[in-house]
Amino acid sequence: MQRITIDPITRLEGHGKIEIFLDDAGNVANTYFQIPELRGFERFCVGRPVEELPLLTNRICGVCPEAHHMAGAKAADAVYHVDIPRTAKMLRELLYSAFYVTDHTTHFYALAGPDFVMGPDAPVAERNILGVIHKVGLEIGGKVIQCRKYGHTVVEMIGGRKVHPCTSIPGGLTKGITEEQRKEIEEMGKWAIEFAQFSLKLFSDVVLGNKAYVDLILGDVYTHQTYYMGMVDENNHTNFYDGKVRVVGPDGKEFVKYSPKDYAEHIAEHVEPWTYLKFPYLKKVGWKGFVDGKDSGVYCATPLSRLNAADGMATPRAQEEYDKMYKTLGGKPVHQRLATHWARLIELLYAAERWVELATNPEITSPNFHTIPTEKPTEGVGIVEAPRGTLTHHYWTDERGVVTKVNLIVGTTNNYAPISMSINKAARSLIKQGTVVTEGLLNMVEMAFRAYDPCFGCATHSLPGQMPLEVTIHDADGNPIKVLKQFCE
Amino acid sequence: MTDTPETKPFEPVIVGFTCNWCSYRAADMAGTARMKYAPNIRLIRLMCSGRLDPTFVLKAFAGGADAVLISGCHPGDCHYVEQNYKALRRFHLLKRVLTQMGIEPERLKLVWASAAEGAILTDTINKYVEEVRALGPLNWPAKTIESVSTPIMEEVAA
Amino acid sequence: MSAKPKFAMYWAASCGGCEIAVLNIHEKILDVDANFDVVFWPVAMDAKYKDVEAMEDGSILLTLWNGGIRNDENEHIAHLLRKKSKILVAFGSCACEGCIPGLANLTSTKEIFETYYETVSTENPEHIRPQPSYTMPEGEIRIPKLYPVLRTLDQVVDVDYYMPGCPPESHQIGAVIDLVVQVLQGKAELPPKGATIGADKSTVCDDCPRKRNVKTIKEFGRIQLTHADPELCLLEQGIPCNGPATRQGCGAKCPTAGAQCIGCYGPAEGVIDYGARLISAFASVIDAEKPEDIDRILDGLVDPAGQFYRFNLAGSLLRAGKSAWQGK
């Protein structure tokens, strides 16, 4: 069988490769999205003191260590059965909101933006952050740098460091913030709200104002009907830091809403022998393979999923944008995966509004940021929404608080099956008998996984404007029959 | 009949860190008095047991030693007043780390001695060599590249 | 065809934090762009392995490598990039000494597999384990094989410079970029090969703002079980802080923020084994002389190997625990 190998997948965190098999007629027989790495956190965290886990699990991902730090901190709080002071909860959520602004900005401008602002078929030389800047003005690069700078300043003020924060401990935090810091955080937050609105306007003008892009978003190539997962507060509004996990079906109706401690009743993970990563699915529906629909346990956990799973946003401006999106796309739930980019910007606005909300709460500067745990440590679960999906940390310890067992279900992992399905569908739709496999076509296969933001982009780095790519197509005997190159020297 | 490598008895290699003021002198005394102690031990003289940097112990194990003996003056008799207590504390902490690394704690031994205790030191060394012989070789592979460059996934996957 | 010298950045068994730390130099990234042609950086642009293979040997002037060597793909790319690069920098704690993934050297690959593919939420009744090569109906597909022990970059290839930190702090990265630009412009010299760059020579204690007295530790505590005095040395208060053995360069951010130093900047200048030095330091300040008192105090350190080798195990003298070597 003919085989197209893309190795490594680029512009995402971690490693991955795609194998595309073509039958004799030249149609796609099957695709495999393989994850080639395993480091072993669930094993080597055993034997460590539980207060170290928010620090060790930071190193699962240096792009979203804040997410692991928070999930780990909440799990460690649960292990000690301690309620943290309100100020500590607010400070953690404030750090987290600022982080969300930074992270969603980075993804949109460097990863997603080029595909939309320039167009998926645009010349490769323009289909990157530079092209975006030329099209919309040099100011953009400066704004994106500014946004990242502000976000990481808040992370460092509350979390101690810009990457791999260190201040969350069982019972709260090791420090609070001063009034001076609070003022600075508030000012930066207000700027972030404006930047978020600017980004949404950009999306509206450049993407929604262009019929070709709208057709792409609404088209079938990138559409899947699966279950959708997201954390919600007591009003069923999206919350990134705390709440219950809600899952809605492909029809948009609530399927289940569970407390963090009950996750194992609802989520199970499937193993395949050709990849290191596992495939989470809804236990009560069952694993039926890589298929859509109500009877398949495959679920999705992305910004679009969160908005599908919620009844609305907790802040006013974000709520307006939420209503606008669902009105434009024909109601809830939205199944078109490219709409995730839009949902991500709505979340960006919500995170910025929440940033200011928390920064202007008078309790945020209270010196009461830690409660000493008094109960014996045993076992606990902590769940937050990572930008890339619902993140679950589960720790067991002995009576000294030394970890005896760990279970983690990480953000992007939730989406391993949906991403595989999206790549498969895009490849099948785009590569058919007689199709000439071009660079633009390969980019459109890549767009299938890029919508999920499998990791990060580079906010301000001036990309060289070229997407060096080489594709080799072999015949059944393994002889290369065609080599396509772009920008490979 | 010749000894093949397999039938030769295991000869432990032990590195002994001795204090200039007590055990080194005791070992000297033993030598002068023709008291025999096993050649398995390689003695290294420090001016004080408090000079023992845990790095020396780890380097010995990584370099092929099967055991390490540390020896210093009796508590209260340190030539530099208190430094043998530092050696004692480092010894206790090192043992815990070595245990976690999978090195039997018996492979690290601490003895107190005085310059006059040549016979006791000789006896201690000889007994320790037999203890280590019974433990078997350590063969710590840190320096052996071959032991790490072979992927083992097939075994793990089985 | 650009006349600018070529630049590459690659990640092996790592987390992406080093990439983010580079981005956090903010406007300075434009200096990188102005002075270099980025030819390979999987996180940010789409050059593939084949493109690196096609490059001339030594044609990449500067490659920043982050991540440890966990599997045969990591090793293969290490040799490839070494061949194609003039200057190869072990960037960040993973490449320099193993970092957190190096903690896997205290367990074993077998135990990692047994744990991960049989967790409480995993449905794996047939005890499936990933195979390096698997035949699907359409053809054979492969994934890299794990080695029994995680290695540092210099345990696999020749390294020119070391930049410590998990991740290296952005102000240090900015300083190194300034230096590199100066070198390109002929205004400065490269440091001698093998040097540690982007860090200072002494320890974190030198930068720590807390007050320090003579230490006499009667008990080791846990940071969550106390309200530590924010002005006083943490180690003195019995909280196990790794500052005394950790290289200076980060600005002592963690102790300043109230958290103990966990040792991510590696050993100070001239130190072979980080853990050994820290063992010595902790042992020196314990206030006990009788073995039973010493043991009682040491019982407060619930995970000595983790405490002393958290970031630095793969690069230490022993490098890994016995079960890792044996793959058990």
Side-chain angles (χ1 to χ4, degrees):
Chain A
M1 229 178 237
Q2 294 176 28
R3 177 207 294 247
I4 303 174
T5 304
I6 304 177
D7 187 18
I9 297 275
T10 49
R11 285 195 274 158
L12 85 170
E13 196 272 319
H15 300 79
K17 72 174 183 169
I18 298 176
E19 299 274 22
I20 304 173
F21 288 96
L22 305 180
D23 63 23
D24 293 328
N27 296 315
V28 171
N30 212 343
T31 62
Y32 295 96
F33 177 35
Q34 298 173 279
I35 301 300
E37 62 170 356
L38 174 66
R39 286 166 296 162
F41 278 82
E42 274 109 331
R43 175 63 204 162
F44 66 67
C45 283
V46 168
R48 315 276 85 83
V50 73
E51 65 271 23
E52 286 188 23
L53 261 58
L55 307 170
L56 299 177
T57 57
N58 269 337
R59 277 83 184 173
I60 291 173
C61 177
V63 179
C64 59
E66 293 85 346
H68 288 286
H69 193 65
M70 294 309 166
K74 289 175 70 181
D77 294 336
V79 161
Y80 274 99
H81 312 284
V82 63
D83 284 320
I84 71 175
R86 225 174 11 247
T87 299
K89 203 170 172 201
M90 285 165 47
L91 281 168
R92 284 192 192 163
E93 194 180 347
L94 174 54
L95 182 161
Y96 207 47
S97 304
F99 154 67
Y100 248 83
V101 168
T102 315
D103 199 72
H104 276 356
T105 297
T106 306
H107 179 265
F108 177 72
Y109 282 95
L111 275 168
D115 288 329
F116 279 101
V117 177
M118 309 313 294
D121 298 298
V124 171
E126 294 166 25
R127 203 178 58 234
N128 55 57
I129 185 68
L130 269 182
V132 171
I133 291 172
H134 289 144
K135 184 150 186 166
V136 300
L138 270 163
E139 268 184 73
I140 300 287
K143 277 197 209 282
V144 177
I145 292 179
Q146 178 91 305
C147 181
R148 294 194 73 259
K149 209 188 252 188
Y150 280 174
H152 277 107
T153 302
V154 177
V155 170
E156 190 170 54
M157 273 182 184
I158 302 173
R161 294 183 73 185
K162 293 191 178 73
V163 180
H164 300 323
C166 58
T167 56
S168 283
I169 55 175
L173 295 168
T174 58
K175 71 184 285 286
I177 56 172
T178 62
E179 172 56 26
E180 205 181 305
Q181 289 174 315
R182 188 208 68 74
K183 277 207 189 81
E184 204 184 325
I185 294 173
E186 181 186 339
E187 285 313 302
M188 294 192 285
K190 287 183 174 147
W191 186 93
I193 291 178
E194 282 174 26
F195 177 73
Q197 289 175 309
F198 165 80
S199 304
L200 277 160
K201 179 141 197 316
L202 185 74
F203 188 81
S204 179
D205 291 343
V206 174
V207 181
L208 301 178
N210 184 318
K211 186 177 182 305
Y213 299 167
V214 174
D215 286 345
L216 198 66
I217 294 174
L218 295 176
D220 190 55
V221 178
Y222 303 103
T223 298
H224 287 274
Q225 304 221 0
T226 61
Y227 287 83
Y228 299 103
M229 173 185 281
M231 183 168 256
V232 294
D233 62 21
E234 61 276 0
N235 300 316
N236 281 336
H237 292 152
T238 296
N239 190 294
F240 300 138
Y241 178 76
D242 206 15
K244 293 201 167 140
V245 179
R246 194 184 198 205
V247 181
V248 300
D251 57 4
K253 295 207 179 57
E254 179 175 303
F255 174 72
V256 70
K257 190 158 115 175
Y258 63 82
S259 295
K261 63 175 174 55
D262 298 325
Y263 80 97
E265 286 170 36
H266 302 282
I267 309 297
E269 298 174 89
H270 173 78
V271 181
E272 288 284 344
W274 43 265
T275 179
Y276 282 110
L277 195 61
K278 297 181 287 186
F279 300 90
Y281 62 96
L282 293 167
K283 204 167 175 176
K284 300 205 162 133
V285 179
W287 174 260
K288 311 284 171 58
F290 298 93
V291 290
D292 283 29
K294 194 159 85 59
D295 296 321
S296 166
V298 170
Y299 67 89
C300 201
T302 65
L304 183 62
S305 310
R306 287 192 280 263
L307 265 52
N308 278 343
D311 290 344
M313 307 304 287
T315 55
R317 297 177 189 85
Q319 179 63 41
E320 259 181 60
E321 297 293 333
Y322 168 102
D323 289 332
K324 188 170 148 207
M325 180 182 85
Y326 282 113
K327 183 149 178 250
T328 308
L329 297 180
K332 290 187 75 174
V334 165
H335 300 294
Q336 289 88 346
R337 297 296 145 105
L338 292 186
T340 313
H341 298 300
W342 193 349
R344 190 169 289 113
L345 291 177
I346 297 173
E347 285 195 335
L348 172 53
L349 179 55
Y350 160 65
E353 290 185 277
R354 191 81 182 113
W355 174 342
V356 173
E357 228 171 63
L358 290 161
T360 48
N361 187 311
E363 281 186 74
I364 199 86
T365 47
S366 155
N368 182 22
F369 45 76
H370 183 239
T371 297
I372 296 178
T374 51
E375 306 220 17
K376 279 250 171 304
T378 56
E379 176 190 346
V381 178
I383 297 187
V384 298
E385 284 295 321
R388 293 149 191 98
T390 312
L391 173 60
T392 304
H393 280 216
H394 187 176
Y395 308 151
W396 291 256
T397 72
D398 65 17
E399 70 285 349
R400 298 170 304 162
V402 176
V403 174
T404 54
K405 196 158 79 165
V406 175
N407 191 25
L408 308 169
I409 303 181
V410 178
T412 297
T413 312
N414 293 293
N415 299 316
Y416 190 19
I419 294 174
S420 302
M421 288 154 60
S422 288
I423 288 171
N424 191 293
K425 189 168 186 183
R428 279 181 200 278
S429 308
L430 297 166
I431 303 174
K432 291 195 167 74
Q433 179 177 21
T435 306
V436 177
V437 177
T438 65
E439 297 80 10
L441 184 142
L442 288 168
N443 181 53
M444 291 178 79
V445 175
E446 292 200 55
M447 280 171 69
F449 73 71
R450 217 168 275 140
Y452 293 82
D453 177 14
C455 190
F456 78 91
C458 173
T460 58
H461 175 59
S462 299
L463 294 171
Q466 301 136 345
M467 185 170 74
L469 185 62
E470 181 181 304
V471 170
T472 307
I473 301 178
H474 297 88
D475 65 19
D477 298 323
N479 303 314
I481 54 167
K482 191 169 186 152
V483 176
L484 293 164
K485 287 191 203 192
Q486 59 182 28
F487 306 109
C488 303
E489 312 283 346
Chain B
M1 189 170 83
T2 47
D3 272 324
T4 59
E6 291 80 24
T7 60
K8 252 169 66 171
F10 157 56
E11 286 301 335
V13 170
I14 302 178
V15 176
F17 293 99
T18 54
C19 158
N20 176 65
W21 305 98
C22 59
S23 37
Y24 192 76
R25 290 198 179 175
D28 238 4
M29 181 187 126
T32 319
R34 310 272 165 108
M35 285 184 263
K36 280 208 167 104
Y37 60 85
N40 302 69
I41 193 158
R42 284 65 157 150
L43 296 181
I44 296 176
R45 177 174 65 149
L46 306 174
M47 289 312 290
C48 175
S49 58
R51 174 64 183 96
L52 181 83
D53 185 336
T55 312
F56 303 163
V57 174
L58 300 170
K59 201 157 189 210
F61 283 126
D66 301 298
V68 173
L69 176 71
I70 307 166
S71 143
C73 298
H74 288 277
D77 292 349
C78 178
H79 189 84
Y80 302 101
V81 186
E82 289 188 327
Q83 308 318 309
N84 49 355
Y85 291 117
K86 289 215 171 95
L88 177 62
R89 294 180 221 135
R90 286 175 192 145
F91 163 72
H92 276 265
L93 194 42
L94 253 174
K95 256 180 131 79
R96 289 166 183 245
V97 175
L98 293 174
T99 307
Q100 267 185 284
M101 300 286 285
I103 295 178
E104 300 92 320
E106 297 80 27
R107 293 186 186 272
L108 184 66
K109 190 177 178 71
L110 174 72
V111 295
W112 302 129
S114 83
E117 290 173 333
I120 296 176
L121 189 64
T122 305
D123 195 46
T124 304
I125 289 171
N126 291 336
K127 281 208 174 76
Y128 192 46
V129 171
E130 293 318 308
E131 272 176 50
V132 179
R133 200 191 303 276
L135 277 175
L138 179 61
N139 282 339
W140 197 257
K143 287 202 183 314
T144 317
I145 298 302
E146 292 75 40
S147 62
V148 291
S149 62
T150 314
I152 64 159
M153 246 190 73
E154 287 89 345
E155 297 163 39
V156 171
Chain C
M1 179 82 179
S2 176
K4 290 189 281 188
K6 296 180 165 56
F7 172 92
M9 187 161 183
Y10 183 71
W11 51 13
S14 61
C15 75
C18 285
E19 269 75 8
I20 291 286
V22 167
L23 291 182
N24 284 354
I25 60 178
H26 301 304
E27 293 89 1
K28 266 210 199 298
I29 205 80
L30 300 173
D31 291 344
V32 175
D33 181 57
N35 288 281
F36 284 97
D37 195 11
V38 178
V39 295
F40 182 59
W41 193 359
V43 73
M45 45 87 73
D46 298 330
K48 308 292 183 187
Y49 294 144
K50 281 193 168 62
D51 304 303
V52 181
E53 279 157 15
M55 293 174 192
E56 262 183 59
D57 288 0
S59 60
I60 305 176
L61 178 62
L62 177 62
T63 294
L64 303 181
W65 173 291
N66 64 91
I69 312 295
R70 179 76 265 186
N71 61 38
D72 58 3
E73 179 179 312
N74 300 150
E75 178 161 22
H76 172 73
I77 304 301
H79 287 291
L80 179 65
L81 279 172
R82 173 70 276 186
K83 208 161 53 134
K84 306 295 178 182
S85 312
K86 274 226 166 54
I87 302 172
L88 182 63
V89 177
F91 189 91
S93 177
C94 286
C96 289
E97 55 214 355
C99 194
I100 297 301
L103 283 173
N105 286 1
L106 278 179
T107 170
S108 72
T109 40
K110 181 150 201 235
E111 286 179 319
I112 288 173
F113 276 60
E114 290 300 315
T115 303
Y116 185 61
Y117 296 105
E118 309 285 345
T119 67
V120 69
S121 54
T122 304
E123 279 294 312
N124 191 9
E126 288 159 45
H127 306 296
I128 294 172
R129 301 282 182 265
Q131 305 291 320
S133 156
Y134 202 78
T135 306
M136 300 304 287
E138 298 82 9
E140 192 205 17
I141 52 179
R142 307 189 71 250
I143 42 178
K145 299 178 197 174
L146 265 60
Y147 290 118
V149 158
L150 182 138
R151 284 176 288 168
T152 63
L153 184 61
D154 69 358
Q155 286 167 356
V156 168
V157 294
D158 189 40
V159 166
D160 296 302
Y161 298 104
Y162 300 86
M163 185 131 172
C166 174
E169 283 290 318
S170 300
H171 68 274
Q172 292 286 8
I173 299 174
V176 166
I177 288 172
D178 284 344
L179 172 65
V180 168
V181 171
Q182 296 252 301
V183 169
L184 285 177
Q185 292 169 350
K187 295 181 191 157
E189 296 256 314
L190 278 174
K193 185 177 141 123
T196 296
I197 57 176
D200 302 309
K201 294 189 161 43
S202 182
T203 65
V204 170
C205 296
D206 276 17
D207 285 340
C208 182
R210 290 170 180 260
K211 273 201 277 294
R212 291 189 282 290
N213 308 305
V214 174
K215 293 181 209 340
T216 50
I217 296 175
K218 300 200 196 313
E219 192 182 1
F220 282 110
R222 309 279 285 276
I223 193 163
Q224 66 271 24
L225 299 180
T226 179
H227 280 151
D229 182 337
E231 318 248 293
L232 189 59
C233 168
L234 286 168
L235 184 58
E236 218 169 295
Q237 299 179 67
I239 293 171
C241 176
N242 287 11
T246 306
R247 190 183 281 261
Q248 180 188 23
C250 58
K253 293 218 156 123
C254 297
T256 303
Q260 72 274 36
C261 166
I262 50 177
C264 79
Y265 252 71
E269 187 76 13
V271 169
I272 310 171
D273 188 297
Y274 173 94
R277 302 298 284 182
L278 195 57
I279 288 170
S280 188
F282 274 37
S284 299
V285 299
I286 289 169
D287 189 18
E289 291 178 354
K290 296 206 193 76
E292 54 273 20
D293 293 332
I294 295 173
D295 273 331
R296 186 186 41 79
I297 296 175
L298 292 182
D299 282 347
L301 285 174
V302 294
D303 174 29
Q307 179 73 40
F308 299 120
Y309 287 106
R310 199 176 285 116
F311 286 84
N312 328 96
L313 184 58
S316 70
L317 282 167
L318 293 179
R319 294 173 55 185
K322 204 166 189 182
S323 50
W325 292 111
Q326 294 175 336
K328 288 210 169 79

